[in-house]
Amino acid sequence: GENVEQHPSTLSVQEGDSAVIKCTYSDSASNYFPWYKQELGKRPQLIIDIRSNVGEKKDQRIAVTLNKTAKHFSLHITETQPEDSAVYFCAASSGNTGNQFYFGTGTSLTVIP
Amino acid sequence: DVKVTQSSRYLVKRTGEKVFLECVQDMDHENMFWYRQDPGLGLRLIYFSYDVKMKEKGDIPEGYSVSREKKERFSLILESASTNQTSMYLCASSLLTSGKETQYFGPGTRLLVL
């Protein structure tokens, strides 16, 4: 089955700097890659996603890039703010039975004011 | 707006007890999922269901069972709770339709097994 690896596990940045989180996947059939943000004590929520027919997608300060050949995708957060502090999870899905997601192990991002 | 609710936010049980965790979604989603979340291990899929009375094993089904008698409700059952099942349990739901597969999560149930 699919294997998703996520790095780094923890990341600290100064407010205003950029943060990058990287994920790799193993199944070339995966075609949907969502990113979830989980604030302390809250549920994971989708912040951005990308499909395999697109190389990059942006939404204000966040962007995701996908390299299908190398089987990796990354989350980029620019001009980080303290409210960006959270755990971020990447996932991959091939749309097979039940649209099962395979999640990375998470990155704990701390933005230092 | 999608709403996924879970029956309890916190639960304390004793070893050997039978534990029921319930999840309800109000958006007519076909797919429902149960994950457990542990530090450093991310979200691991226990079971999922893509239709009423249908279930599929995820990556860590041992020690768990599920029930889906109605489309909106998906229950996770710990037949005989053990201390290694102390964890955060998250339910999620999504549409079956390709292109609309975003999973929406419930608030989680933090289970402590003593």
Side-chain angles (χ1 to χ4, degrees), chain A residues 1-2 6 9 31-34 36 38 40-47 49-51 87 89-106, chain B residues 2-5 9 31 33 35 37-38 40-45 48-50 56-59 88 90 94-108:
Chain A
E2 174 68 279
Q6 183 173 347
S9 56
N31 55 17
Y32 176 65
F33 307 92
Y36 283 81
Q38 186 179 27
L40 192 62
K42 296 193 176 179
R43 69 189 77 192
Q45 293 200 299
L46 180 75
I47 54 170
D49 55 12
I50 192 167
R51 298 190 185 278
V87 178
F89 293 98
C90 64
S93 173
S94 63
N96 288 335
T97 305
N99 287 331
Q100 183 176 351
F101 283 11
Y102 296 87
F103 283 91
T105 50
Chain B
V2 178
K3 193 168 183 184
V4 182
T5 58
R9 290 301 304 272
N31 297 329
F33 308 83
Y35 296 92
Q37 182 177 17
D38 300 288
L41 298 178
L43 298 168
R44 293 182 293 166
L45 183 65
F48 66 99
S49 168
Y50 53 90
E56 293 281 345
K57 291 181 180 179
D59 299 320
M88 169 69 88
L90 287 164
S94 73
L95 287 169
L96 190 58
T97 311
S98 179
K100 295 184 184 294
E101 62 270 66
T102 300
Q103 290 188 18
Y104 297 88
F105 284 86

Side-chain angles (χ1 to χ4, degrees), chain B residues 71-88:
Chain B
K71 190 176 185 180
E72 67 271 19
R73 196 177 298 266
F74 192 35
S75 300
L76 180 69
I77 303 153
L78 286 66
E79 296 290 342
S80 177
S82 63
T83 54
N84 62 11
Q85 292 179 309
T86 290
S87 187
M88 169 69 88

Side-chain angles (χ1 to χ4, degrees), chain A residues 17-111:
Chain A
D17 286 352
S18 294
V20 180
I21 303 169
K22 298 182 180 181
C23 289
T24 60
Y25 62 99
S26 60
D27 188 355
S28 56
S30 289
N31 55 17
Y32 176 65
F33 307 92
W35 285 89
Y36 283 81
K37 175 183 179 182
Q38 186 179 27
E39 296 176 36
L40 192 62
K42 296 193 176 179
R43 69 189 77 192
Q45 293 200 299
L46 180 75
I47 54 170
I48 196 167
D49 55 12
I50 192 167
R51 298 190 185 278
S52 56
N53 59 348
V54 174
E56 183 175 1
K57 184 176 178 181
K58 285 178 110 170
D59 183 3
Q60 299 183 338
R61 294 186 299 107
I62 59 173
V64 57
T65 58
L66 171 65
N67 183 325
K68 281 193 300 182
T69 305
K71 296 198 190 75
H72 67 70
F73 56 111
S74 300
L75 178 71
H76 304 254
I77 306 174
T78 58
E79 300 171 25
T80 53
Q81 301 167 4
E83 51 265 39
D84 294 328
S85 295
V87 178
Y88 293 81
F89 293 98
C90 64
S93 173
S94 63
N96 288 335
T97 305
N99 287 331
Q100 183 176 351
F101 283 11
Y102 296 87
F103 283 91
T105 50
T107 296
S108 178
L109 172 65
T110 301
V111 179

